[in-house]
Amino acid sequence: MKLSFTRNLATAIGLSSAILFSPIAMAQEPAVNLRTALQFIDQAQTEATSAHAHVAIAIVDEGGNLVAFQRMDGTQLGSTELAIRKAKTALSFSRPTVDMEHALNKGNFMIATLPNALPAGGGYPITVNGRIIGALGLSGGEGETDARLAQAAVQETLKAKPLQAHE
């Protein structure tokens, strides 16, 4: 009897997992892929151009992997790594990096000790249906300017076009 129950439970768990993690189920979830990453980069470049800013823009997926990157002409070279780190920080800590910068400026020095964190404005999580699916990092200006441009790029992209599912 016990063996039969265990076998039935294992079968049920196996079937549930197969359904949950099947390509069909995953295909319906919005994701940051190259196509969507380029949409975010295009919008960020539009925002930066209208603000007369020269920026580097990085898009990471939900695993923190760099999907796309662009450095506008005239952007300082140091902004390359900063944009990537801001995107990864926004993803890892599930918040805009400007929030971390503000906390640090208010005396919460523990923020400076977080591993692999860059508490400077310009990182913004990409959230769809309450789930973070990636992040945008932007660097090239002052922290507040980077923060404003990153937020606008993410929000305008999400407003303009629904994200594609996994392909």
Side-chain angles (χ1 to χ4, degrees):
M1 190 71 159
K2 184 176 179 184
L3 181 60
S4 155
F5 172 76
T6 305
R7 192 175 296 151
N8 289 339
L9 180 61
T11 302
I13 290 171
L15 288 175
S16 298
S17 296
I19 292 168
L20 266 175
F21 298 109
S22 73
I24 294 170
M26 291 177 70
Q28 297 175 11
E29 291 293 321
V32 172
N33 54 32
L34 183 58
R35 181 179 303 133
T36 58
L38 293 174
Q39 291 172 357
F40 284 103
I41 284 180
D42 287 346
Q43 186 62 43
Q45 186 171 359
T46 298
E47 299 290 338
T49 300
S50 31
H52 307 289
H54 301 280
V55 298
I57 309 151
I59 309 294
V60 297
D61 64 17
E62 65 186 332
N65 305 297
L66 184 64
V67 177
F69 174 84
Q70 181 173 317
R71 185 173 60 88
M72 295 172 66
D73 292 342
T75 303
Q76 61 192 3
L77 293 177
S79 291
T80 298
E81 184 62 30
L82 294 176
I84 295 167
R85 288 200 50 211
K86 288 177 183 184
K88 289 183 176 191
T89 299
L91 176 74
S92 295
F93 296 96
S94 305
R95 71 198 61 201
T97 56
V98 73
D99 293 352
M100 298 171 80
E101 180 180 6
H102 290 162
L104 184 61
N105 290 340
K106 289 179 182 174
N108 185 352
F109 300 116
M110 184 274 305
I111 296 285
T113 69
L114 295 173
N116 302 314
L118 180 59
Y124 202 85
I126 300 169
T127 305
V128 176
N129 300 327
R131 189 173 133 251
I132 297 176
I133 62 167
L136 179 147
L138 186 144
S139 180
E142 301 287 322
E144 292 295 325
T145 301
D146 289 352
R148 181 176 45 78
L149 294 174
Q151 179 179 1
V154 170
Q155 290 178 344
E156 289 302 314
T157 302
L158 291 175
K159 231 191 305 185
K161 295 180 184 177
L163 289 187
Q164 301 292 323
H166 281 282
E167 295 183 352

